[in-house]
Amino acid sequence: MRLDDLDALGRIDRHDTRRVLAEFALQCRRALQLRASPPIAVNRPRLVVMAGMGGSAAGADVLAACAAEALDVPLLVHRGYGLPAAAGRGALVIASSYSGDTVEVLSAVEAALARGVPVVAITSGGALGALAASHDLSRVTLPDGLMPRMALGYLVFPALGALAACGTPVASSDDVEEALQVITTAVTDLRPEVVTDRNEAKRVALAIDGRLPVIYGGPVTGAVAYRWKTDLEENAKRLATAGVLPEMNHNEIEVWRGEEARGLHAVLLREGDEPAEIADRFTLVRELIDPAAGGITEVWARGRGRLARLLSLVSLGQWVSYYAAILRETDPWPVPMLTEFKRRLGAPAGERSLP
Ligand code: F6R
């Protein structure tokens, strides 16, 4: 399969995922206009918990990575049922579920209601939309029709606005404007019409083909490494792993030896002016794993601000996973196992059956 053969690509990508990915910058601009209603009546929470799963948690990861250096209030990303014990008086819960039907997020909102913790719901509807409406919770209503993992703009920018409205901003308006410009250029460079020689996403997809992709980020880009892993798994239906420096220097680095490492391909997510101690570690990792690794690819974030850098790497990862799917002749859009799992989970226990 040649990635520059647009007819073949169109036959595999039956749901036109390429159009959704190509409209990422537009999606982000639309998302930026959305506001919570009724308005958020919280000022300077002592803790923010962002509850979400899968694609709907990915926006929270981006915001948590922005918050790490910008915000003096802890921001937790909560993936699971209920809420952590710390989410009590003075906390704020931002509940994100694109479909609105994710049971873990619904249970987080129920826990917040039981504890009297204010909630902002971000959803296209579903049970979360109904629950938020019945309690008159602040909510941002998203347009529907997307796959949650392809609605990242809608899961980042309204939450960014909600955080700013509470006096806990994680990015300035200049950062936001820069991010939008950087994404616009990135997407233009990565679309299928741009041939492999000039298309970084196609080249990375070809490089990792046939080997297990192992994505490593630094302290900031680590959140995006995890996103690359999940996009490869959901879009290309192939296993990937993600890790973070410096932590991997203390354990995972041992894997990169012997015959087994030939089947691994490291992708390093770098930033131009990362701290010297992190840059040194990336250099050393390269040196040490190179003799055994099946391959190593380095990619660099675009832009100056944290938001631009994170979203530019997210966008590159989306396209890499898209082309990885095409190489396997797999439609990137549907996620039949995930859908079937949710269906069975929702069925009364007695009706569950094994295949
Ligand atoms: C599917 C996807 C999944 C969902 C997850 C939670 O495209 O990305 O990871 O995001 O199953 O569902 P939502 O996002 O609807 O709460």
Side-chain angles (χ1 to χ4, degrees), residues 7-197:
D7 290 336
L9 192 133
R11 282 193 295 277
I12 298 166
D13 176 11
R14 287 188 294 280
H15 292 80
D16 212 2
T17 299
R18 58 198 180 287
R19 185 183 52 78
V20 176
L21 299 190
E23 287 178 358
F24 184 45
L26 184 66
Q27 180 191 118
C28 292
R29 285 193 189 276
R30 286 186 180 141
L32 197 56
Q33 306 305 318
L34 300 176
R35 295 279 174 279
S37 168
I40 303 165
V42 173
N43 190 28
R44 292 283 300 167
R46 65 165 182 80
L47 165 72
V48 178
V49 179
M50 298 197 64
M53 301 301 301
S56 291
D61 282 340
V62 168
L63 296 176
C66 290
E69 280 189 353
L71 190 62
D72 56 355
V73 170
L75 192 160
L76 300 182
V77 181
H78 177 66
R79 291 175 160 92
Y81 288 92
L83 282 175
R89 179 188 290 272
L92 166 72
V93 170
I94 300 181
S96 298
S97 169
Y98 183 74
S99 65
D101 288 326
T102 297
V103 287
E104 296 94 320
V105 179
L106 292 167
S107 105
V109 174
E110 295 288 4
L113 290 170
R115 294 180 201 178
V117 175
V119 176
V120 179
I122 300 178
T123 181
S124 68
L128 178 58
L131 183 64
S134 69
H135 289 270
D136 202 24
L137 302 177
S138 286
R139 53 197 181 275
V140 181
T141 304
L142 309 176
D144 62 7
L146 294 171
M147 278 293 188
R149 64 188 183 281
M150 295 172 198
L152 189 79
Y154 288 123
L155 296 157
V156 166
F157 288 95
L160 195 78
L163 288 166
C166 297
T168 48
V170 298
S172 68
S173 50
D174 284 352
D175 290 338
V176 169
E177 194 42 50
E178 190 215 1
L180 293 173
Q181 281 170 15
V182 164
I183 302 164
T184 305
T185 317
V187 168
T188 309
D189 294 349
L190 303 172
R191 304 156 298 128
E193 291 75 16
V194 180
V195 295
T196 304
D197 283 352

Side-chain angles (χ1 to χ4, degrees), residues 189-211:
D189 294 349
L190 303 172
R191 304 156 298 128
E193 291 75 16
V194 180
V195 295
T196 304
D197 283 352
R198 283 185 275 119
N199 190 320
E200 185 177 24
K202 289 184 182 178
R203 287 201 307 274
V204 177
L206 286 163
I208 63 175
D209 198 31
R211 290 194 283 257

Side-chain angles (χ1 to χ4, degrees), residues 256-279:
W256 294 89
R257 59 168 84 210
E259 263 316 294
E260 243 176 80
R262 288 268 163 255
L264 309 179
H265 191 111
V267 180
L268 310 180
L269 308 186
R270 310 283 313 263
E271 291 184 273
D273 53 5
E274 60 209 356
E277 61 268 26
I278 298 300

